[in-house]
Amino acid sequence: MPRDTSIKSVLIIGSGPIVIGQACEFDYSGSQAARSLREEGIEVTLINSNPATIMTDPVTADHVYLLPLEVESIQKILSERKIDAVLPSMGGQTALNLAIDCENQGVWEANGVRMIGVDTKAIEITEDRELFRQKMEEIDIAMAPSKTAKSYLEGKEIAQEFGVPLVIRPS
C-alpha cells in the first residue's frame, strides 16, 4: 500500500488501565505504531489514561496526553493540535468504542479527522459477538458453535446444550 502523503499527524488512542490478562498487547502495538509513524516523519499525538505504559513514555510520541479516554478529552486535543487521522485500533476495545463515540457525535467530521486502519462498520461487527457470528455464517467461515447468554440461567442452558469442553467469554 502506498503511503498517503496527506497524513502529516496521527492521533493514537491508547487502551487505558492495564489489568491482568488484557491490554498489555495494545500498549506494545501502540508504542510500535507510534515509532513506525514517527520514522515516516508523521507527527504522533497519543492519548491514554494510564501513565504506567510504554506508549506514554515521552520518547514514544511527539505529544502525550494523560487524560480520561472520553469524547471531551479527544475534543480538547483536537482544539490544541492539527490532527489529520486517528488510529484507534492500537488501543483495543476501549479505543475502538471511543472512536465510535466520536464518530457518532460528529467529532471526527467536524475537525477534518479521518479514521485509518479500521472503519466504523468493521468495529461494530467485530465488537458485537452476535454480529460477528452472523458475519462468519454469512461468508461461510467454519467456527465452533456459539451463543450469547445475557444471564446466568441462559448461560447454564447453553452449557447443557453444548456440553463440554466449553469456553465462556465474559463481555
Side-chain angles (χ1 to χ4, degrees):
M1 170 183 267
R3 179 176 169 192
D4 183 340
T5 57
S6 69
I7 299 174
K8 307 284 185 218
S9 62
V10 171
L11 171 65
I12 296 176
I13 304 175
S15 59
I18 295 175
V19 297
I20 293 172
Q22 77 178 53
C24 63
E25 67 276 17
F26 301 122
D27 182 39
Y28 180 76
S29 63
S31 62
Q32 293 305 303
R35 182 178 172 185
S36 296
L37 289 166
R38 289 182 79 198
E39 284 177 4
E40 291 296 319
I42 296 171
E43 182 179 69
V44 175
T45 300
L46 181 117
I47 178 173
N48 201 336
S49 61
N50 182 4
T53 63
I54 296 167
M55 72 166 53
T56 56
D57 189 302
V59 300
T60 302
D62 297 292
H63 313 283
V64 176
Y65 286 82
L66 295 172
L67 295 170
L69 295 173
E70 300 170 348
V71 173
E72 296 76 20
S73 299
I74 298 293
Q75 290 171 320
K76 174 184 174 12
I77 293 169
L78 296 177
S79 72
E80 295 177 7
R81 304 256 169 243
K82 170 62 181 124
I83 304 291
D84 298 315
V86 60
L87 181 60
S89 54
M90 299 296 113
Q93 188 171 11
T94 300
L96 294 171
N97 289 338
L98 178 54
I100 287 178
D101 289 346
C102 288
E103 175 89 11
N104 291 341
Q105 293 182 35
V107 172
W108 304 134
E109 186 176 358
N111 291 278
V113 176
R114 59 191 164 135
M115 203 177 308
I116 58 172
V118 70
D119 64 37
T120 304
K121 181 131 179 90
I123 295 170
E124 290 169 350
I125 290 170
T126 57
E127 289 300 313
D128 183 306
R129 308 256 186 274
E130 185 58 24
L131 287 177
F132 183 79
R133 186 186 64 73
Q134 290 170 9
K135 180 54 106 177
M136 294 300 100
E137 286 178 358
E138 176 187 320
I139 61 176
D140 200 28
I141 299 291
M143 60 185 170
S146 67
K147 286 189 177 177
T148 301
K150 298 196 184 293
S151 70
Y152 173 77
L153 185 56
E154 275 184 81
K156 191 173 177 183
E157 289 170 1
I158 293 168
Q160 289 173 341
E161 176 187 340
F162 286 173
V164 292
L166 185 69
V167 174
I168 299 172
R169 181 169 183 201
S171 65

